[in-house]
Amino acid sequence: MKKVITYGTFDLFHQGHFNILKRAKELGDYLIVGVTSESFDIERGKLNVKDSLLKRIENVDKTGFADEIIIEEYQGQKVNDIIKHKADVFVVGSDWTGKFDYLKQYCEVVYLERTKDISSTAIREKNISRIGIVAGRGDDGGFILESQYVSGLHVEAVYSEDVNVADDFCQKYELNKACYSYKEFLDSIDIVYIRFSGEKKYEYALGALKQKKYVIVDNYAYNSPEQIEEMQQCAKENGVVICENIITAYLRAFHQMLWMVHSNCVGRIASLGIKMSSIDFSSRTRFEDMLIYALFVSLKIYGDKLINASINTSYICDADRKHYGIILNGDGVFADIDIGIGVEMDSGLRINGFDGIVVVENDWWNMGFFQINCRDKYPKRYSFNFDGNGTRYMLQELMIMIESKTDESTRVFYKESKLLAELVGRVKESIKA
Ligand code: C2G
């Protein structure tokens, strides 16, 4: 007897789930389905799961394909299950291609093509939101993998003016369709992720907002404050939200750190030290991409006081390796920012208070933990480990905004986005001068 085993959360059960169970069953004589427990989903960072474990099991059972249903409760359980149940084949959707190759030493591993179109009834009845990506050249930055960890979302379509870019992207990430007309693209989705840094980003955003689509945008602060204001106004008028993709803003550790700093845990803030190197951030990044993150943290610490701060900059360049020094100085404000492109640097964040220091080592923009050092006390660590690159937390926030119909994110307020754009502009001007 050939035994097949497959796993999933099976939340908001839809056609994609049905298809994989049907095809998994066809690969053998006996199908075991592992349904993830609530605590395992929390542990693996799967967010926004709506149905209870009981309901998810019931839905799998109703298909009639499963001969046995088990519960997946911990990391590493798949190996144990395969050995225990003597499974011959492990099956999972192609959205996980490569991720489960380590199981090949125990049984055959089959990645079945994921269902690209999960049917409009499922989308309507179960409130599944469809995402479309406006793509430029390059990869998706891990966005699609991260979106798989947020239940109730489905990446469906890609748009690009360049037919080849759209086709390649669609094929690479197995999306439902590649669109060459922006209107057709907008008609088939609910949320637009503008992963495109060209001039037309602003037009794409406005076009989508006018069609009442939620918008996620990278490097929003490259736009002028006036353009940002216009986009925000347009979002409000159309009852949707434009969401800025600054990953740090959505991380649990970052909030906790901010709340503690604003509760005086290190006393009055004396200064901020921010260092970031492209070597740690992302090898293909530009100065502005990192500047947005550094200024965002400064803004979250100092708030409106930054408006009147003076900005002094220095710039050293050696071929394509560059170092930028930025000092923000004002009434109650002092931030010292070092940004290196291709330059080795001890990346980290220090918030120096009169009574102690907040320390975030290394890649602080992706922080899972921080430490507070206060005199006469043991250093204390606050840890909120998370998986992936953090994008899923931004998507979770977006889902909450959609469900609760909030008109702006409390993680990055509209007012902060405008101020950030203004600061980015001022820093760039100062460097040019
Ligand atoms: N799936 C699919 N097509 C879709 C959506 C999902 O083929 N449009 C597949 C997934 O690839 C997976 C199964 O359906 O094999 C269950 O999907 P989820 O409930 O989203 O579970 P997932 O988070 O993919 O977990 O240990 C759990 C496994 O790692 C899979």
Side-chain angles (χ1 to χ4, degrees), residues 6-11 14 16-17 20 36 40 44 46 72 78 91-96 100 112-116 118 148 154:
T6 191
Y7 293 85
T9 304
F10 303 106
D11 189 36
H14 58 64
H17 299 138
I20 199 154
T36 55
F40 179 56
R44 75 186 181 120
K46 181 117 182 179
E72 187 181 23
K78 289 184 178 80
V91 170
V92 73
S94 54
D95 34 351
W96 295 104
F100 293 103
L112 290 177
E113 194 185 341
R114 79 192 271 274
T115 303
K116 291 178 183 171
I118 60 170
Q148 281 167 228
H154 206 250

Side-chain angles (χ1 to χ4, degrees), residues 277-279 283 285 290 320-322 339-345:
S277 163
S278 65
I279 297 167
S283 54
T285 202
M290 291 191 282
D320 52 1
R321 300 165 76 199
K322 296 162 192 162
I339 296 179
I341 303 285
V343 177
E344 284 295 344
M345 200 182 283

Side-chain angles (χ1 to χ4, degrees), residues 138-162:
D139 65 15
D140 79 325
F143 185 86
I144 292 170
L145 178 66
E146 284 287 296
S147 72
Q148 281 167 228
Y149 283 95
V150 185
S151 190
L153 277 181
H154 206 250
V155 184
E156 296 256 313
V158 56
Y159 166 79
S160 171
E161 277 172 17
D162 184 333

